[in-house]
Structure formats: C-alpha cells, structure tokens
Amino acid sequence: KVFLENDANVAAFGGFLYYKTKNLVGLTLGTGVGGGIIIDGKIYHGLSSAGEIGHMKISDSGECSCGKIGCLESLVSSYGIPRIYKKLTGKNKNVFEINILANQGDKVAIKTLKQAGYYLGIGISNVINIFDPELVVLSGSIANSKILVNEAKKIAYKNLIFKYKGKIIVSENIIENILLGAASLVK
C-alpha cells in the first residue's frame, strides 16, 4: 500500500501524537507557510484540501507563490520576510541573515521580524477564533526566530475574541513530528 499526505498535515499529526492532544493546528514556517488541522485526533481534510492556512488573506500587499496577493505565506516565509527587509533598506538579505542581524540588535532587522510577526499573529488569531484548538504548534526554520514568534504571540492574544485556554508553542521537533506522523499513517 502507498499513502500520500501533505507534509504540513503529517507534521501536525506527529505533533498531535507527541503532545497527546485531541485538537491541534500546526503551522510549518519555512519556504512557505503550511498548515495542518487535527480535530478529534484525525487530520481534517475538508472536501479535499483544508488547512491551507498559508493562503489565508492577511494583507492587501505581498505577492504569493500561488499568484494571489496578501496571503500569510507572502509575508511570513523565506521569500516574504526578505521582501519586507528589502522594502525597508533596499538591500537583499535572506531570512537567516535577517535573523542574525536582529539578534545582534540591528533595528531594521528587528522591525522586519516584528512586522512579519504581526502578520503571523493575525493569522494565528484567526485560526484560534475559528478552531479553538488545545495547541497551536509553530515549527520550521522561521519558528526559530524568537523576535518574530514573541511578536506573533502578542498580536494573536490581543486579537482573540475570547479568553483562549490553549497554548501557542514552538516545536523544535519538526523532523521527528513528520516522521512520527508519516509512520502513523501506515500503522
């Protein structure tokens, strides 16, 4: 037998197994923004491809890889964050260089990550307002930016319409979660 599944769904399912929750939304932050939704211990697919959280419209600017404008992914990804930085400075830097500069105290790099964190926070608050999951799990290389994640959490909590009893966490186990989730599909 062969099983096919979206990588963000598998990562979210692995997170569900690792954290032992009933309901979870996972966001993988890297080249793009992937999303996986776990409801009652099952990957939620909708009619076919639910969970495309990275393509939630957040802004009126930012060209996305999907061809639309203003998707979360266009603002919080390995190509979106450098675009914000370039608008502010006119210089090309990749997301890792921007994070290093921010950690060294560079004000423009910090502003860039906080702006991306703002957009991520709006996306997270939308997800929580809709699904109210026990956990929102952020993973991937961009989730390693404490400046971005702290801003995202602050903005997410500020924009909720109810007192959220769950948690927003960063998982450093994305590879393990993907492997665990993929293996569990077969099992």
Side-chain angles (χ1 to χ4, degrees):
K1 287 186 178 182
V2 174
F3 297 88
L4 294 174
E5 186 56 79
N6 175 289
D7 62 337
N9 285 344
V10 171
F13 194 67
F16 152 75
L17 294 168
Y18 182 82
Y19 294 108
K20 298 175 177 46
T21 63
K22 191 174 178 184
N23 302 300
L24 174 147
V25 175
L27 287 155
T28 55
L29 310 172
T31 305
V33 175
I37 303 165
I38 308 300
I39 298 175
D40 290 329
K42 295 182 178 107
I43 297 172
Y44 179 71
H45 292 102
L47 293 176
S48 63
S49 61
E52 292 294 336
I53 295 165
H55 297 289
M56 171 188 335
K57 187 168 176 79
I58 298 292
S59 172
D60 289 328
S61 64
E63 187 177 327
C64 187
S65 64
C66 73
K68 305 285 184 195
I69 301 294
C71 294
L72 180 61
E73 179 173 304
S74 72
L75 303 159
V76 187
S77 64
S78 65
Y79 66 90
I81 294 170
R83 191 170 26 217
I84 294 170
Y85 184 81
K86 186 169 183 170
K87 270 189 188 174
L88 296 172
T89 66
K91 297 177 185 173
N92 290 318
K93 297 278 184 202
N94 68 43
V95 70
F96 302 107
E97 293 169 326
I98 295 166
N99 197 42
I100 289 167
L101 288 170
N103 289 334
Q104 293 171 346
D106 182 283
K107 290 181 178 164
V108 179
I110 292 168
K111 183 176 180 177
T112 299
L113 293 176
K114 284 189 171 189
Q115 190 172 343
Y118 169 83
Y119 293 122
L120 179 59
I122 295 296
I124 292 169
S125 68
N126 288 337
V127 165
I128 292 171
N129 285 334
I130 294 166
F131 293 104
D132 191 19
E134 294 165 72
L135 282 178
V136 174
V137 180
L138 308 175
S139 60
S141 58
I142 291 173
N144 293 327
S145 171
K146 289 185 175 154
I147 294 167
L148 183 144
V149 169
N150 288 342
E151 185 71 10
K153 286 180 178 181
K154 181 178 89 174
I155 296 302
Y157 286 120
K158 183 178 174 182
N159 285 283
L160 294 175
I161 59 172
F162 55 85
K163 179 151 176 51
Y164 180 49
K165 296 176 185 170
K167 292 181 183 176
I168 303 167
I169 64 169
V170 174
S171 172
E172 296 173 9
N173 302 321
I174 186 165
I175 299 301
E176 291 87 348
N177 286 350
I178 290 172
L179 294 173
L180 180 62
S184 296
L185 292 177
V186 177
K187 187 177 176 188

